[in-house]
Amino acid sequence: MPSDFDARLQRPSCITDVAGIQAGHAAMAARATGCTVVLAPEGAVAAVDVRGAAPGTRETDLLVPGNLVEQVHAIALCGGSAFGLDAAQGVMHWLEQRGIGLDVGVARVPIVPAAVLFDLLIGDARVRPDAACGYAACQAAGSAPLVNGNVGAGSGAVVGKIFGLARAMRGGIGSASVRCDGVTVGAVIACNALGDVRHPVNGRVLAGAREAADSAQLCDAHASLLAGARPLPALAGTNTTIGVIATDARLEKTQAQRLAMLGHDGLARSIAPVHTMSDGDTLFAMATGRAGGSPGMMVLAAMTVEAVALATVRAVQAATGYRQGDLWLPAVADLAAG
């Protein structure tokens, strides 16, 4: 019997359903990598929570409650590992051209935190998102629904690498939103996890490690580890799930930080294993306040967990298969067809 989760999965929804939020993708033509930007032109209270042991981030110290800056103007999610942080400079340039930023008297300084995922194993590693890519993502941004799958920051995403890249599958980026009591919570998640992506309700593995490089049979990484299977050594930071949670509820910075923390419960519902030593899992939270109030943190918590889980599942459901020489990274649709 279909669950409420499955019903929500079938209904169109996106982080751009949140009032005051715009979003867009851009990709590099020479390789499967790119950038996704979430814009809040009028500013948004923001926070961050990092659970992975190998993050790649920019401007996250600003988001700690107690530090001076209260609002951000955009958040950039990027491929390209640490090199991809260059894309945030292009986002800053785009915002500055439009007079958007923190007024410091002699200039307006756009506040643009960012996080990256590692996708250098796919194609030419010398091609990474740059400032032009970040600028292009802003140019493409709007209130229309985002495309899910292998676009933007999810262009080169791969999941299920715990037993080696050869047995992995295509990851991606996905977005979703949940509405309750006049308030919307949305999420966009770029899933490049070491572990499997699972159905949050029934636990079925949707995408992840396969039995062999030429197999369309999923092996269930969690069960395999408990049965004694040995993961292959993975360099720290060569995985990572990154994302943004946004709401139009009115929140203080400490409450936004709590939403960012709770978002990781959505990842834990849909990825296993998650938050490993080889992942840099990082989630941002943004609150535009456009709804004028809040249904309370308990309701927002439930909405956040659901939106993140929905976005994570959509990321792999919309992915497309990839071949590079002898490397085959099938997508969910490829396994279903087989």
Side-chain angles (χ1 to χ4, degrees):
M1 179 177 178
S3 64
D4 290 343
F5 181 89
D6 291 308
R8 292 189 184 94
L9 197 60
Q10 297 305 313
R11 289 196 293 266
S13 65
C14 182
I15 194 171
T16 54
D17 296 334
V18 176
I21 291 295
Q22 301 173 16
H25 299 303
M28 302 295 288
R31 186 172 77 84
T33 190
C35 172
T36 298
V37 65
V38 180
L39 298 174
E42 298 176 15
V45 174
V48 67
D49 189 69
V50 179
R51 295 291 174 92
T57 58
R58 160 193 159 125
E59 299 277 44
T60 51
D61 284 349
L62 289 174
L63 304 183
V64 176
N67 286 351
L68 181 63
V69 173
E70 289 291 328
Q71 294 194 326
V72 304
H73 306 99
I75 292 174
L77 306 176
C78 313
S81 191
F83 297 110
L85 291 172
D86 283 349
Q89 193 62 38
V91 179
M92 285 191 71
H93 182 48
W94 188 91
L95 291 166
E96 183 187 24
Q97 286 181 333
R98 288 152 181 78
I100 299 171
L102 175 67
D103 189 354
V104 295
V106 295
R108 287 188 175 272
V109 181
I111 306 301
V112 185
V116 297
L117 56 78
F118 185 97
D119 58 9
L120 301 180
L121 298 176
I122 305 301
D124 186 349
R126 295 170 296 180
V127 178
R128 286 93 59 152
D130 53 14
C133 187
Y135 191 97
C138 293
Q139 288 286 81
S143 300
L146 283 171
V147 175
N148 296 326
N150 298 120
V151 293
S155 295
V158 180
V159 299
K161 290 161 282 188
I162 192 165
F163 301 120
L165 181 64
R167 292 172 56 183
M169 286 181 62
R170 204 77 188 275
I173 192 166
S175 186
S177 70
V178 177
R179 184 166 177 81
C180 183
D181 199 20
V183 166
T184 303
V185 173
V188 58
I189 302 294
C191 186
N192 187 56
L194 181 74
D196 297 337
V197 175
R198 312 175 72 99
H199 190 290
V201 177
N202 60 35
R204 181 170 63 90
V205 179
L206 303 174
R210 294 171 291 130
E211 292 287 356
D214 59 352
S215 173
Q217 182 67 40
L218 294 165
C219 73
D220 191 330
H222 179 75
S224 296
L225 291 172
L226 293 178
R230 296 283 184 156
L232 290 185
L235 183 65
T238 53
N239 303 283
T240 296
T241 297
I242 55 178
V244 178
I245 300 152
T247 180
D248 49 16
R250 182 174 294 170
L251 299 179
E252 298 177 355
K253 202 171 179 180
T254 53
Q255 294 172 313
Q257 185 185 47
R258 181 57 55 178
L259 280 199
M261 295 169 65
L262 289 162
H264 286 281
D265 290 353
L267 295 186
R269 286 183 64 198
S270 50
I271 300 173
V274 70
H275 306 144
T276 74
M277 294 297 290
S278 297
D279 287 285
D281 302 331
T282 300
L283 293 180
F284 298 93
M286 307 169 74
T288 66
R290 291 277 291 273
S294 170
M297 289 302 295
M298 292 296 288
V299 175
L300 287 174
M303 295 169 71
T304 296
V305 171
E306 190 79 351
V308 169
L310 286 165
T312 304
V313 170
R314 284 181 174 170
V316 296
Q317 282 188 331
T320 54
Y322 178 88
R323 286 190 182 273
Q324 176 184 317
D326 294 333
L327 177 65
W328 176 48
L329 299 173
V332 171
D334 297 321
L335 299 193

